[in-house]
Amino acid sequence: MFKYQTGLSTTGIVLLVVGIIAALFAGNALYKNLGSNDGANQEYPGQPERSAEESSARQQQMEPPRPPTQADGSTKQALIDKAKLGMKASFDIPDNAGFNIDIVLLDVPYGGSRQDVVCGTIKTEDKSDTQSGPARFVWRSSEPAELEDDGNKALFQLAWSLFCQN
């Protein structure tokens, strides 16, 4: 009796191995079809049909993100003026402060959104005509302005390297 059970289990094991191999080949073929360009928009049985809006949204998600662009002309000047006002309001900077603008970028991706960035240096004079050394700044349209000082050197350097170095 032991002899028949051994033969039966060997047959079962062989069938199980053959089934696993067949499943792997079928899965590999399906995976290759999903990875091809033709299979990317393919509809499968049981899958609900997509509307034109859903298909368009899916196509936009698949496109690579566009890189930030350098501003030019009046757009650049408008952003510089907005950055200067933001810096003066945030840090109580006098009107006679000297700004040196290094870079102005449009549509910089950050944190799931896009924002405009102005980077540069600022030099100020206090009431006794004492000049402070130039300090770097990063102004972003959706965040508070950042000014380099002794209290935030590491965080400021991170912002500078992310936004101001091409």
Side-chain angles (χ1 to χ4, degrees):
M1 181 147 176
F2 182 74
K3 187 177 182 182
Y4 294 110
Q5 287 179 343
T6 305
L8 188 62
S9 65
T10 304
T11 305
I13 291 173
V14 169
L15 288 176
L16 180 64
V17 169
V18 169
I20 290 172
I21 292 171
L24 288 173
F25 277 112
N28 191 26
L30 179 62
Y31 179 76
K32 285 182 179 179
N33 284 341
L34 288 176
S36 70
N37 289 338
D38 296 335
N41 295 322
Q42 182 176 352
E43 300 292 332
Y44 295 98
Q47 183 182 23
E49 291 185 26
R50 292 187 187 126
S51 68
E53 290 175 359
E54 289 174 329
S55 295
S56 174
R58 182 175 170 93
Q59 185 66 25
Q60 287 176 352
Q61 288 176 350
M62 293 171 54
E63 292 176 4
R66 63 185 189 273
T69 57
Q70 293 229 3
D72 59 345
S74 62
T75 304
K76 182 176 181 176
Q77 190 57 48
L79 283 174
I80 290 172
D81 292 342
K82 193 172 179 181
K84 286 180 181 180
L85 286 174
M87 291 293 296
K88 288 177 182 179
S90 297
F91 297 104
D92 194 29
I93 295 173
D95 289 334
N96 65 347
F99 286 89
N100 183 21
I101 305 301
D102 294 334
I103 191 166
V104 178
L105 295 173
L106 300 174
D107 288 334
V108 178
Y110 181 73
S113 65
R114 300 188 76 80
Q115 55 192 337
D116 301 325
V117 176
V118 177
C119 302
T121 55
I122 184 171
K123 188 182 254 190
T124 61
E125 293 180 4
D126 63 11
K127 294 178 182 175
S128 62
D129 293 333
T130 305
Q131 288 191 352
S132 67
R136 297 184 298 174
F137 71 88
V138 177
W139 176 85
R140 295 181 281 165
S141 58
S142 63
E143 300 285 330
E146 297 180 51
L147 186 63
E148 182 178 34
D149 63 15
D150 291 333
N152 71 347
K153 281 206 180 280
L155 288 175
F156 180 84
Q157 187 58 41
L158 178 64
W160 185 268
S161 63
L162 279 174
F163 299 111
C164 304
Q165 294 177 345
N166 291 357

